[in-house]
Amino acid sequence: MSTPRTSPPAADRRTLIADTAIDLVAAAGLRGLTHRAVDGAAGLPAGSTSYYFRTRTALIGACYARLAELDLGDVGDVGDFGEIGEIGEIGDVGGEGPPPPGPAPADRETAAAALAGLLHRWLTVGRARQLARFELSLEAARNPELEADFHRAGQGARARASGILAALGARRPEEAAELLVAWTDGLLYDRLAGALARSRPAPDLAELTSVTRRMLDAALAEG
């Protein structure tokens, strides 16, 4: 007698759907993001995606939350930012507000190395996910229903950056965080989708460390 197959828990299906949706956006842009396409790519029965996320807006909101979760996991892996949080536009993982800051990097060199490692990961193995992140961020600018989720995510990222910069001696850490987050996203966009993105050499960790050191110095000087 065979054992009946059981469906994966709802939380696992939601994660699978969000991961698949992010992959589709990375590969084909938002035009490729449909409930039917997610069902097919995820190997789920027809109608599964619409069962968990009734509208396209809800599906995109799930992508925001999952991107934050994955980016936060990356931050934990690089070390010294792990207990503070990520520096990136998609930040707060579904919480009601920014998390409390944790232990800070010991010094600017340590912080620069940690941020460089994070950027290197996002420019290499995390490249597709970051491209999807930029695609999805533009949708929030067009759809008022997504503004609240996206705004909360951005505030979470800035709170984490502010905590790092405050620990490094910034007099006005919130202002410094605005600059650092903007520069970080600008660097990612330039290397992934800018006019010279295809002709640039592969990301180099030593070069990124030099860049992040200058970014931190400038943010701290302003803040």
Side-chain angles (χ1 to χ4, degrees), residues 88-89 91-92 97-99 149-161 178:
E89 185 62 33
D92 191 12
D149 288 344
F150 192 70
H151 176 75
R152 183 168 61 251
Q155 290 301 105
R158 284 160 175 76
R160 290 177 170 92
E178 291 285 339

Side-chain angles (χ1 to χ4, degrees), residues 127-138:
R127 178 180 183 277
R129 192 205 312 160
Q130 296 305 312
L131 286 172
R133 184 170 72 86
F134 284 119
E135 289 269 4
L136 290 161
S137 69
L138 291 173

